[in-house]
Amino acid sequence: EYHLRDSCGRTVIKTYHSQLSACTRVYREHHHTECELSVFLEGEGVYTVGKNEYRFRAGDVFLFASNEEHCITEISADVELLNLQFEPYILWENPDAMELMPLFHSRNSEFKNLYLDKGGEVCKTLLTIEDEMCHQRPCFSVIVKYRLFSALAIILRNHPGVNHQKTVKAADHLTQSIKL
């Protein structure tokens, strides 16, 4: 488990691995205030998010907003999962990152928590983030934040379940507020 902390010592980004053996699990109302990106490195099964069930396999990415209920309810092949949790306020602190907020607040009826990572670009980015947090080379915190923003931007660009017009309007509104 690796943590990126702010100047007050609070964790703002955390990465960790979960390993789970094949089984059927009872749905439990699991949620947390952090937003989360998860990538399945191995395994397959069913992820239940609210009333939706998603079949997953290695390479699949899931995105959860703050306090969004989610639970792996079936594991048909042993799972290794890389989780990245982050405090939503890191998006608000960076005016450019505000464009990413529709991923969490402007979802339409086509939205799915499962993101099919064609080409593995998001998975590779999350693994790079984990490596940066592990080794903590100079400027690692900058790289971690911008890689996270990059992963979210890739998902936003390619997700049919996000209202992209609101992305532009939100960014324009923020830009106008800053100019005032």
Side-chain angles (χ1 to χ4, degrees):
E1 187 169 297
Y2 303 106
H3 297 259
L4 175 63
R5 300 183 192 281
D6 65 12
S7 60
C8 297
R10 296 175 298 212
T11 297
V12 293
I13 301 174
K14 172 173 68 173
T15 62
Y16 61 96
H17 283 257
S18 298
Q19 295 181 328
L20 306 164
S21 298
C23 67
T24 300
R25 304 169 79 200
V26 176
Y27 181 80
R28 64 181 173 93
E29 294 182 6
H30 169 75
H31 56 89
H32 36 76
T33 58
E34 301 90 0
C35 297
E36 183 173 337
L37 269 173
S38 299
V39 61
F40 284 90
L41 302 173
E42 295 178 11
E44 55 185 56
V46 175
Y47 218 141
T48 302
V49 183
K51 296 177 182 174
N52 298 313
E53 289 187 347
Y54 302 98
R55 292 214 60 81
F56 67 81
R57 61 185 176 165
D60 286 345
V61 174
F62 280 81
L63 172 71
F64 303 108
S66 177
N67 287 313
E68 190 166 17
E69 290 180 14
H70 54 283
C71 181
I72 298 172
T73 51
E74 180 185 320
I75 302 167
S76 48
D78 291 357
V79 163
E80 182 178 359
L81 177 64
L82 171 59
N83 297 293
L84 184 148
Q85 294 178 340
F86 63 95
E87 291 294 337
Y89 75 81
I90 67 170
L91 299 177
W92 310 326
E93 288 181 336
N94 185 324
D96 293 333
M98 286 296 292
E99 284 188 69
L100 303 169
M101 293 303 291
L103 275 172
F104 307 101
H105 299 292
S106 295
R107 297 171 171 179
N108 62 41
S109 61
E110 292 182 59
F111 183 82
K112 293 180 176 35
N113 295 87
L114 168 62
Y115 174 72
L116 300 175
D117 189 23
K118 297 174 182 154
E121 193 172 1
V122 173
C123 179
K124 289 174 194 166
T125 301
L126 295 179
L127 289 168
T128 299
I129 290 169
E130 180 185 42
D131 179 69
E132 287 290 337
M133 290 179 67
C134 172
H135 293 100
Q136 297 189 6
R137 294 176 287 265
C139 299
F140 85 98
S141 62
V142 173
I143 291 172
V144 165
K145 287 180 184 177
Y146 281 94
R147 295 277 174 131
L148 172 59
F149 298 162
S150 176
L152 294 171
I154 291 164
I155 294 170
L156 179 73
R157 280 183 172 179
N158 296 295
H159 203 306
V162 178
N163 295 323
H164 293 278
Q165 292 82 6
K166 292 186 180 182
T167 304
V168 174
K169 289 179 186 176
D172 288 347
H173 177 70
L174 180 63
T175 302
Q176 292 301 321
S177 298
I178 291 170
K179 287 179 183 175
L180 297 176

